[in-house]
């Protein structure tokens, strides 16, 4: 449904679209946007200065109040006029296509939160329909119709009358140029469908401009055009500023299939041409939005080569069947990073992508599948078994995810027969692998090298190598990855075929520089996080520790200009008072400086003129400013940033952005000689919530002063204290160490209030030794829940018999009406009854008559969801016996290959072997409801003898699968944890000697 908002002429009219289709946003979103804007700006009316722009200029995006519409509207300033006592601006309302006049004092800043959906009003023009005029030649005494530059009044009047007479309107989108839709416009007039373009031409108000490659009329162009009707593919454009972003990669896949072989074979020389054009000036493409955005990802992209993004799925460089499959899976289009990665990856180019979404396999799967359709590219390869593409993942879990995605999307392309290969240390397992007709292998570095030992021709057909989560691969298996890269590089068949490496990740790693230099051919480097781009760009990070009162003197030393190069320095402060103080100090020390904050008397134009003024070598420019001025200046050529005020993580990245023009793309350059430098002043007043900045400095390999190490340790301790009531980290319990301690939400220290032994009989604590255990719920290969069985008098066995006998009577099965959290109930499962405890009730569920609750089987350790009406009233006498479930962890064994989770194959094997069977185990350590056991064995009585033998040892069984390895430091790490000073805290009622016993059984 279309509504004509404003009609100037056939070459410029504005429409608003409702319904669904390309470039159309649900009307509900606009309604919500209006409500949120009205609420925000109405509340801000009393303190309007906070949301007023510091400067007003033509073309600026803002928010104004429309008296006619009675609401706040998004607008663009078209012109500024001076009246008697004020300035007045003409504003164009971008959602309503109306012009209004507003005083400058009534203009408000447009927050980025209100700019996330496209403008509702779309500027259109009739496709290839151009104006004409009557040309009279008095000498020849002739008159003829010729093309004109402007629409005459008769044509405009006829066009407007034609549109007013239409009862229904439809448009077909043919092209997008300069943020303008080129359309065929259709209208229903008196129940007759009319093409407005053709009607103007037939009435001699216009002529149809022919395309260079076609000599037909407008009807020739009506086939295969994108329709804006409701039948077309729904695509939501995220950023209004980029709603009509052009697409460079316009080649159709059909064309690629015809010429792909020749193009790929000529790739080396073709890529050299691209690089020769771009090496002279490294391109930084910035999607620069309002920095008032709170907590959302900044849209920054660093590109080593020029890439025109493809932001709409219809124009993405993927083959058509894959686009249809993606649409059916509700993937409406490439995200910001994908829009830059897909075009070069689909052309077979080397790509490095570092992004917040760098762990998403969709960065490379669609373009790789597209390229694999070009069968002609692989004709020169030897006729043998071997993959065309190899995807290296950091662990089995990620490999499983990638493999499942390949299985899903290969259905729409030629059969690739992908294989997931995860191998243990058993040689016979690698020997048994058969690679037949497989064109894509998903694996891990360790598994691949084990396979390569027995399949020496594995790389002979390999053309595409993908490094998924490249920073994790290099941190956990750098040696193995480079071994694989060397094997890939040495293969001679690459001279006659495609040769592509794609590396994606979330963070930069120093090994990526070697990857680019030694193994890649003119790669496209896409970095969408400014902090990671600054590391790649060799920005020197300097930390200066000082007292808060000494910051000015330290700043003056930093600004001791001794170099002859042009230096542009930004000094960022957190307050206006700091900015004034610094500016005055610099002036007193004869250092020329500019200042800028919301209360400063200098205007932006003057500051920008001074900053951008062409200066000679040896000139120094210093600008002191507050963070809220950055967005208006748009500075990107600073050579040094001084963080006089300690930044938050969000502000830190914005400050680094102001040096982006001076990021150096040569990773071999020494930091001491790079142009860009970031200096942080660390004082005693810096708060501990800035831990993210300190982690980043360590990631950037900045020289950290000793004071900062102490400061970091205190901050980490404070962070752990905030997690003191959380459960003890599962990785710490299972393996003795947590690799991701800084981001792990759980506790990594002893809390005596929680870690006092639970559900473990006192006599076991007092006299540690072997016990009989019954595993009932298997979490993974080494982690189980079950019961400690007393062979002399097992209280639970007696209780279970009583409970089942009680509930056999139908009259005793009383459903619970009011379910309470943490209360105990009975539950029937098949023919057995269990004691359960409600651990969670969703607030929304409580409103329903029947609802789901999360329960725990207190005698088995399982967690499950059940309907509330299944819970039965449990008499008090059945609640007297404490919960029997104990967590058991088998010690001194861990997964191979630096994995942090057990492979499901070994978990299934152990589950089948031990579940529901009695075992003998020695408890060597206890904390809370957890007991660490070593060994854990099953005993078998020899027939005819009074002798028991070990049938198997669980730890040995895990090692025998080839998927586990020794972990001798497991218990040692736990004991170190228990020796922490907090263990020495006294708990009333527990003697120190008893405390020591249960901590170190």
């Amino acid at each position: 449904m279309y509504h004509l908002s404003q009609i100037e002429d056939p070459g410029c009219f504005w429409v608003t679209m409702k319904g669904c289709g390309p470039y159309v946003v649900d009307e509900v979103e606009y309604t919500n946007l209006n409500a949120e804007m009205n609420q925000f700006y109405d509340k801000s009316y009393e303190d309007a200065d906070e949301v007023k722009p510091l400067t007003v200029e033509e073309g600026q995006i803002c928010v104004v109040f429309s008296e006619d519409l009675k609401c706040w509207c998004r607008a663009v300033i078209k012109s500024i006029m001076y009246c008697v006592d004020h300035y007045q601006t003409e504003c164009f309302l971008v959602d309503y296509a109306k012009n209004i006049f507003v005083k400058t004092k009534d203009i408000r800043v447009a927050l980025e939160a209100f700019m996330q959906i496209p403008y509702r009003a779309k500027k259109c023009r009739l496709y290839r329909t151009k104006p004409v005029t009557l040309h009279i030649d008095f000498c020849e005494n002739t008159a003829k119709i010729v093309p004109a530059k402007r629409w005459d009044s008769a044509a405009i009047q006829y066009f407007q009358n034609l549109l007013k007479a239409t009862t229904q309107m439809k448009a077909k989108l043919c092209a997008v140029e300069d943020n303008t839709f080129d359309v065929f416009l259709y209208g229903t007039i008196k129940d007759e469908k009319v093409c407005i373009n053709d009607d103007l031409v037939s009435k001699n108000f216009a002529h149809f401009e022919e395309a260079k490659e076609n000599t037909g009329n407008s009807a020739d162009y009506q086939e295969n055009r994108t329709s804006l009707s409701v039948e077309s593919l729904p695509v939501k454009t995220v950023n209004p500023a980029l709603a009509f972003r052009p697409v460079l990669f316009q080649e159709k896949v059909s064309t690629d299939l015809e010429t792909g072989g020749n193009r790929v074979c000529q790739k080396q020389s073709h890529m050299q041409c691209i690089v020769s054009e771009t090496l002279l000036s490294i391109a930084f493409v910035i999607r620069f939005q309002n920095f008032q955005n709170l907590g959302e990802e900044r849209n920054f992209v660093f590109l080593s080569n020029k890439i025109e993004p493809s932001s709409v799925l219809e124009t993405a460089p993927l083959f058509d069947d894959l686009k249809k499959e993606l649409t059916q899976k509700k993937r409406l289009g490439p995200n910001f990073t994908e829009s830059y990665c897909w075009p070069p990856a689909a052309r077979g180019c080397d790509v490095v992508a570092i992004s917040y979404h760098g762990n998403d396999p969709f960065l490379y799967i669609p373009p790789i599948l597209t390229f694999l359709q070009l069968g002609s590219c692989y004709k020169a390869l030897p006729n043998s078994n071997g993959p065309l593409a190899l995807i290296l993942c950091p662990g089995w879990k990620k490999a499983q995810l990638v493999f499942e995605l390949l299985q899903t999307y290969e259905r729409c392309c030629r059969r690739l027969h992908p294989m997931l290969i995860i191998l243990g240390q058993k040689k016979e397992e690698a020997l048994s692998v058969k690679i037949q007709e497989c064109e894509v292998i998903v694996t891990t570095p360790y598994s691949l090298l084990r396979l390569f030992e027995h399949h020496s021709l594995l790389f002979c057909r390999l053309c595409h190598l993908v490094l998924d989560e490249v920073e994790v691969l290099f941190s956990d298996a750098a040696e193995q990855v480079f071994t694989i890269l060397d094997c890939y590089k040495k293969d001679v068949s690459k001279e006659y075929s495609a040769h592509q490496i794609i590396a994606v990740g979330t963070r930069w790693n120093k090994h990526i520089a070697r990857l680019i230099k030694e193994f890649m051919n003119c790669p496209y480097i896409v970095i969408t996080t400014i902090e990671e781009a600054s590391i790649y760009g060799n920005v020197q990070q300097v930390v200066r520790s000082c007292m808060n009162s000494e910051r000015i003197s330290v700043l003056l030393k930093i600004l001791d200009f001794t170099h002859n190069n042009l230096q542009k320095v930004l000094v960022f402060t957190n307050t206006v008072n700091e900015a004034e103080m610094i500016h005055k100090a610099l002036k007193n020390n004869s250092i020329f400086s500019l200042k800028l904050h919301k209360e400063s008397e200098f205007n932006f134009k003057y500051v920008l003129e001074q900053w951008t003024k062409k200066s000679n070598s040896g000139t120094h420019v210093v600008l002191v400013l507050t963070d809220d001025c950055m967005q208006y200046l748009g500075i990107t050529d600073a050579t040094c940033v001084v963080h006089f005020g300690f930044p938050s993580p969000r502000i830190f990245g914005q400050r680094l952005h102001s040096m982006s023009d001076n990021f150096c793309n040569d990773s071999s350059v020494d930091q001491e000689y790079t142009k860009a430098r970031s200096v942080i002043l660390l004082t005693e007043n810096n708060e501990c919530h800035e831990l993210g900045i300190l982690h980043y400095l360590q990631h950037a390999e900045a020289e950290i002063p000793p004071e900062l190490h102490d400061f970091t340790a205190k901050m980490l301790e404070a962070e752990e204290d905030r997690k003191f009531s959380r459960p003890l980290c599962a990785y710490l319990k299972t393996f003795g160490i947590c690799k991701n301690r800084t981001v792990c939400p759980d506790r990594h220290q002893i809390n005596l209030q929680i870690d006092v032994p639970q559900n473990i009989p006192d006599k076991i604590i007092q006299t540690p030794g072997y016990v009989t255990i019954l595993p009932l719920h298997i979490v993974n290969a080494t982690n189980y829940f079950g019961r400690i069985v007393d062979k002399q008098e097992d209280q639970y066995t007696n209780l279970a018999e009583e409970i089942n006998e009680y509930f056999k009577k139908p009259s005793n099965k009383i459903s619970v009406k009011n379910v309470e959290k943490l209360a105990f109930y009975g539950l029937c499962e098949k023919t057995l009854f269990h004691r359960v405890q409600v651990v969670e009730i969703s607030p929304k569920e409580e409103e329903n008559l029947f609802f789901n609750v999360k329960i725990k089987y207190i005698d088995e350790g399982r967690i499950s969801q059940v309907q509330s009406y299944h819970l039965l009233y449990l008499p008090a006498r059945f609640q007297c016996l404490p919960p029997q479930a104990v967590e058991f962890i088998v010690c001194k064994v861990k997964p191979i290959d630096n994995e942090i989770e057990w492979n499901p194959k070994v978990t299934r094997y152990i589950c089948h072997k031990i579940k529901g069977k009695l075992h003998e185990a020695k408890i060597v350590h206890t904390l809370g409801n957890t007991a660490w056991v070593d060994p854990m064995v099953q005993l078998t009585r020899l027939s005819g003898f009074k002798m028991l033998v070990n049938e198997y040892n669980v730890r040995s069984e895990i090692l025998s699968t080839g998927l586990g390895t020794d972990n001798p430091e497991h218990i040692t790490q736990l004991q170190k944890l228990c020796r922490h000073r907090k263990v020495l805290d006294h708990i009333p009622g527990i003697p120190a000697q008893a405390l020591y016993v249960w901590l170190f059984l």
Side-chain angles (χ1 to χ4, degrees):
M1 176 176 160
Y2 300 85
H3 173 68
L4 289 161
S5 302
Q6 182 174 321
I7 305 171
E8 294 182 15
D9 55 54
C12 181
F13 55 95
W14 298 81
V15 304
T16 57
M17 297 179 286
K18 298 181 180 180
C20 62
Y23 309 105
V24 182
V25 176
D26 195 327
E27 191 66 17
V28 175
E29 292 197 35
Y30 287 113
T31 303
N32 294 338
L33 174 67
N34 286 339
E36 291 170 4
M37 288 174 58
N38 289 331
Q39 183 180 12
F40 177 83
Y41 290 105
D42 286 340
K43 285 185 178 179
S44 303
Y45 186 79
E46 297 177 359
D47 195 7
D49 291 338
E50 292 293 327
V51 290
K52 281 186 178 179
L54 298 180
T55 59
V56 174
E57 56 188 18
E58 293 182 9
Q60 183 176 334
I61 299 172
C62 61
V63 173
V64 298
F65 187 83
S66 169
E67 295 291 344
D68 293 335
L69 300 172
K70 304 298 181 185
C71 66
W72 291 92
C73 307
R74 301 186 293 181
V76 174
I77 298 174
K78 294 182 65 175
S79 62
I80 304 174
M81 297 163 286
Y82 181 74
C83 298
V84 177
D85 58 347
H86 66 278
Y87 283 94
Q88 188 161 317
T89 61
E90 182 184 10
C91 295
F92 178 76
L93 306 184
V94 294
D95 293 316
Y96 303 95
K98 293 184 178 182
N99 292 312
I100 64 172
F101 291 93
V102 179
K103 294 181 180 179
T104 54
K105 67 183 182 68
D106 295 328
I107 293 175
R108 301 291 182 264
V109 170
L111 299 185
E112 186 173 346
F114 301 137
M115 303 301 292
Q116 296 301 304
I117 60 176
Y119 303 147
R120 184 172 6 196
K122 315 294 184 185
K123 185 179 180 181
C124 299
R125 64 187 172 203
L126 298 184
Y127 180 59
R128 290 184 180 168
T129 306
K130 303 298 179 182
V132 295
T133 189
L134 184 66
H135 176 73
I136 300 176
D137 191 334
F138 291 99
C139 297
E140 299 290 336
N141 196 27
T142 60
K144 60 182 179 179
I145 295 176
V146 297
K149 294 183 178 180
R150 299 177 183 176
W151 292 94
D152 62 34
S153 56
I156 295 173
Q157 186 64 46
Y158 179 81
F159 178 67
Q160 292 176 342
N161 292 339
L162 202 61
L163 296 182
K164 289 178 182 178
T166 59
T167 57
Q168 187 177 3
M169 196 169 297
K170 183 180 179 181
K172 282 192 175 181
L173 176 63
C174 301
V176 177
E177 184 179 357
D178 297 329
N179 290 359
T180 302
F181 284 85
D182 287 331
V183 299
F184 279 109
L185 197 61
Y186 300 90
T188 302
I189 303 175
K190 296 180 180 179
D191 296 329
E192 183 180 355
K193 187 176 181 180
V194 176
C195 177
I196 307 298
N197 307 54
D198 288 345
D199 193 67
L200 287 174
V201 173
S202 65
K203 298 293 193 300
N204 288 328
F205 286 117
H207 79 283
F208 190 77
E209 184 183 63
E210 305 292 349
K212 294 180 181 180
E213 70 275 9
N214 200 315
T215 57
N217 59 20
S218 64
D220 297 326
Y221 295 93
Q222 294 179 20
E223 297 294 329
N224 301 321
R225 295 296 176 187
T226 301
S227 172
L228 294 182
S229 65
V230 295
E231 296 89 6
S232 58
L233 177 68
V235 176
K236 182 189 287 188
T237 304
V238 176
N239 188 337
L242 296 171
F244 316 113
R245 188 165 50 188
V247 179
L248 177 64
F249 193 87
Q250 295 290 347
E251 296 93 344
K252 297 293 182 184
V253 173
S254 58
T255 305
D256 289 340
L257 289 168
E258 296 172 4
T259 63
N262 294 331
R263 232 174 62 231
V264 172
C265 292
Q266 298 170 359
K267 177 187 165 189
Q268 302 289 338
S269 58
H270 170 68
M271 284 302 298
Q272 192 61 41
C273 293
I274 293 178
V275 172
S276 64
E277 296 172 2
T278 56
L279 280 181
L280 295 177
S281 58
I282 301 300
F284 287 86
V285 181
I286 311 298
R287 271 174 61 181
F288 191 74
Q289 298 184 358
N290 191 326
F291 272 138
Q292 294 296 325
N293 175 21
L294 299 177
E296 295 183 13
E297 178 178 338
R298 296 175 297 285
N299 291 313
F300 164 89
V301 58
F302 160 79
L303 305 174
S304 63
N305 290 327
K306 184 177 180 181
I307 307 172
E308 196 67 34
S310 174
S311 60
V312 180
L313 188 58
E314 286 181 325
T315 58
L318 311 176
F319 62 98
D320 292 338
D321 288 341
L322 180 57
K323 292 180 184 178
K324 292 177 183 177
E325 186 72 20
L326 290 170
T327 304
Q328 290 175 2
K329 301 295 183 184
K330 307 299 182 183
R331 292 191 70 93
L332 301 182
N335 61 31
F336 179 62
T337 308
E338 291 167 354
S339 68
Y340 284 95
C341 292
W342 285 3
R347 291 199 296 266
C349 304
D350 291 344
V351 177
V352 174
I354 306 297
S355 165
Y356 291 117
H357 305 291
N359 56 0
D360 186 355
F362 267 90
L363 282 177
Y364 58 83
I365 286 180
I368 285 288
L369 289 178
T370 297
F371 198 94
L372 286 170
Q373 305 312 300
L374 309 178
S376 58
C377 300
Y378 310 108
K379 289 181 179 179
L381 295 173
N383 267 334
S384 62
N385 289 322
L388 297 176
L390 173 64
I391 301 176
L392 284 183
C393 299
W396 68 264
K397 201 166 188 178
K398 184 60 177 290
Q400 180 74 41
L401 170 64
V402 173
F403 177 70
E404 290 172 357
L405 288 172
L406 284 173
Q407 285 185 312
T408 299
Y409 291 99
E410 73 145 354
R411 300 169 190 163
C412 60
C413 61
R414 68 182 183 88
R415 298 293 293 171
L416 301 174
H417 304 284
M419 287 182 66
L420 173 65
I421 299 178
I422 304 296
L423 299 177
Q425 296 173 329
K426 298 167 69 174
K427 292 183 179 180
E428 55 270 22
E429 193 176 358
L431 286 168
S432 65
V433 175
K434 303 297 181 184
I435 304 173
Q436 294 179 345
E437 299 183 349
C438 168
E439 298 193 2
V440 182
I441 286 180
V442 184
T443 185
T444 65
Y446 292 96
S447 293
L448 181 67
L449 292 179
R450 293 187 190 109
L451 183 67
F452 185 55
E453 288 180 9
H454 307 282
H455 296 266
S456 57
L457 299 179
L458 187 63
F459 291 91
C460 68
R461 288 170 49 84
L462 189 61
C463 297
H464 311 274
L465 177 60
V466 178
L467 305 180
D468 189 294
E469 295 189 45
V470 62
E471 77 283 3
V472 182
L473 287 173
F474 279 133
S475 63
D476 291 349
E479 181 181 348
Q480 289 74 20
V481 172
F482 280 120
T483 300
I484 294 168
L485 287 167
D486 285 332
C487 295
Y488 180 60
K489 184 179 180 181
K490 289 174 184 176
D491 198 285
V492 294
S493 64
K494 302 300 182 303
E495 297 177 12
Y496 311 105
S497 63
H499 178 187
Q500 181 183 42
I501 299 177
I502 297 176
V504 299
T506 57
R507 303 181 79 191
W508 183 261
N509 183 286
K510 62 182 179 181
H511 293 299
I512 300 177
R514 180 183 167 189
L515 170 69
I516 293 170
K517 185 176 181 180
E518 297 183 15
F519 301 98
M520 288 186 163
N521 178 33
C522 308
Y524 285 80
I525 302 174
V526 180
I527 305 178
T528 62
T529 53
I530 183 66
E531 296 86 353
E532 301 303 319
S534 69
I535 296 177
Y536 169 77
N538 279 313
V539 174
Q540 184 185 9
Q541 297 289 347
V542 180
V543 181
R544 296 287 177 87
S545 58
C546 62
M547 300 299 291
N548 194 59
S549 58
E550 298 173 345
R551 284 188 297 170
I552 292 292
S553 60
V554 173
L555 175 64
L556 294 174
K557 292 178 182 178
I558 294 171
L559 299 179
D560 182 14
F561 301 111
T562 56
H563 299 286
N564 292 325
N565 298 330
L566 172 65
Q567 294 192 55
K568 291 186 170 183
V569 182
L570 293 176
V571 181
F572 285 101
T573 68
N574 291 337
T575 65
V576 172
N577 291 338
E578 282 183 348
E580 290 288 347
M581 177 181 65
I582 294 170
H583 182 68
K584 183 177 179 180
L586 296 178
K587 184 177 180 181
N588 293 339
N589 284 270
S590 302
I591 298 176
F592 173 73
S593 68
L594 305 166
K595 68 174 179 179
L596 194 61
H597 53 75
K598 62 182 179 181
E599 298 177 10
S600 60
E601 57 189 28
F602 294 108
N603 59 41
F604 279 85
K605 288 186 178 180
Y606 171 76
V607 172
L608 282 175
E609 284 174 3
Q610 295 296 316
W611 182 268
T612 58
K613 186 165 60 175
K614 191 171 181 179
S615 304
N616 298 324
S617 179
T619 305
H620 312 298
V621 183
V622 180
L623 172 59
V624 183
L625 73 164
T626 52
D627 292 307
D628 52 9
C629 298
M630 280 192 295
Q631 58 174 311
Y632 303 105
L633 292 174
I635 292 174
T636 56
D637 62 343
T639 60
C640 178
V641 165
V642 179
H643 307 272
F644 190 86
F646 198 80
S648 67
R650 181 177 64 88
I651 293 296
F652 184 66
Q654 296 170 14
R655 292 177 179 181
L656 292 178
H657 173 266
S658 60
M659 298 186 291
S660 56
D661 288 354
N662 290 313
F663 288 180
C664 174
N665 74 308
D666 186 356
S667 299
S668 63
V669 176
D670 194 315
Q671 283 196 343
E672 295 296 327
Y673 302 98
T674 57
K675 291 182 67 176
R677 189 165 63 127
S678 168
V679 184
I680 294 180
L681 301 185
L682 182 69
T683 71
E684 73 278 9
N685 292 340
N686 299 135
E687 298 181 10
C688 62
H689 66 269
E690 312 304 352
L691 189 60
I693 299 292
L694 303 181
H695 287 318
Y696 172 76
L697 293 174
Q698 292 172 335
H699 170 50
E701 297 184 350
E703 187 175 341
I704 308 294
E707 298 89 343
L708 187 55
H709 284 292
D710 297 338
F711 183 54
T712 305
K714 291 178 181 178
M715 292 169 65
L716 286 171
E717 187 174 346
E719 184 69 22
E720 282 297 323
D721 288 340
R722 282 194 285 272
K723 300 186 288 188
F724 201 52
S725 60
R726 294 280 303 166
L728 191 62
C729 171
Y731 295 106
L732 193 65
K733 292 195 296 184
T734 307
F735 306 124
I737 188 172
C738 177
K739 287 186 177 181
N740 301 314
R741 186 167 176 170
T742 55
V743 295
C744 178
D746 290 332
R747 174 169 52 94
H748 301 90
Q749 59 184 349
I750 299 299
N751 181 343
L752 295 180
Q753 304 295 332
I754 298 175
D755 295 327
V756 172
Q758 304 167 21
N759 305 345
I760 300 176
D762 294 338
K763 63 180 181 180
I764 293 176
I765 297 175
Q766 295 166 5
T767 57
Y770 282 92
V771 295
T772 301
I773 66 174
L774 180 66
L776 296 170
H777 172 53
I778 312 302
V779 178
N780 56 48
T782 56
N783 192 318
Y784 333 121
F785 282 90
R787 293 190 293 111
I788 296 176
V789 179
D790 189 337
K791 290 184 177 180
Q792 296 178 358
E793 184 183 358
D794 189 0
Q795 293 180 320
Y796 174 74
T797 302
N798 299 332
L799 177 67
E801 292 175 356
E802 292 178 18
I803 292 175
N804 281 275
E805 192 66 31
Y806 173 80
F807 282 116
K808 281 183 180 179
K809 297 180 181 179
S811 60
N812 292 335
K813 297 177 182 178
I814 304 172
S815 295
V816 178
K817 294 182 179 179
N818 297 319
V819 178
E820 297 180 7
K821 187 176 179 180
L822 301 182
F824 294 97
Y825 301 104
L827 178 68
C828 180
E829 189 175 68
K830 295 182 180 178
T831 59
L832 296 178
F833 291 86
H834 302 268
R835 297 192 303 170
V836 298
Q837 182 181 30
V838 174
V839 293
E840 186 178 329
I841 304 174
S842 174
K844 296 180 181 179
E845 296 278 5
E846 285 181 315
E847 300 173 1
N848 302 325
L849 181 60
F850 302 113
F851 52 91
N852 285 326
V853 293
K854 183 185 287 188
I855 61 166
K856 180 178 181 179
Y857 293 78
I858 62 174
D859 300 310
E860 295 185 12
R862 283 186 291 147
I863 300 290
S864 182
Q865 293 264 2
V866 297
Q867 285 280 320
S868 59
Y869 64 84
H870 286 152
L871 298 178
L872 305 175
Y873 172 75
L874 187 68
R877 70 176 185 272
F878 296 141
Q879 302 182 30
C880 295
L881 187 68
Q884 296 295 292
V886 176
E887 182 182 23
F888 301 106
I889 296 176
V890 175
C891 300
K892 297 192 293 187
V893 62
K894 64 181 179 180
I896 59 173
D897 304 342
N898 293 320
E899 294 275 9
I900 61 173
E901 294 189 39
W902 284 104
N903 190 300
K905 288 193 291 186
V906 63
T907 298
R908 286 194 296 268
Y909 172 73
I910 295 298
C911 179
H912 176 73
K913 202 166 192 68
I914 72 171
K915 185 175 181 181
K917 300 175 183 178
L918 292 174
H919 291 75
E920 298 298 314
K922 183 180 180 181
I923 297 180
V924 296
H925 197 78
T926 61
L927 281 176
N929 193 40
T930 304
W932 284 262
V933 296
D934 182 39
M936 174 179 169
V937 299
Q938 185 175 49
L939 299 179
T940 301
R941 183 180 299 275
L942 294 179
S943 59
F945 296 91
K946 294 182 179 180
M947 183 182 297
L948 296 173
V949 295
N950 292 347
E951 183 174 338
Y952 60 79
N953 182 314
V954 174
R955 179 174 174 275
S956 299
E957 290 296 312
I958 294 172
L959 294 174
S960 69
T961 64
L963 295 169
T965 187
D966 284 325
N967 183 16
E969 298 297 317
H970 188 179
I971 294 299
T972 305
Q973 293 294 333
L974 290 171
Q975 290 173 346
K976 286 181 181 178
L977 182 70
C978 294
R979 293 191 187 102
H980 191 271
R981 60 179 176 83
K982 291 187 181 294
V983 171
L984 301 179
D985 294 345
H986 177 65
I987 300 180
I990 299 182
Q993 184 176 2
L995 183 65
Y996 181 85
V997 168
W998 68 259
L999 285 173
F1000 303 102
L1001 286 178

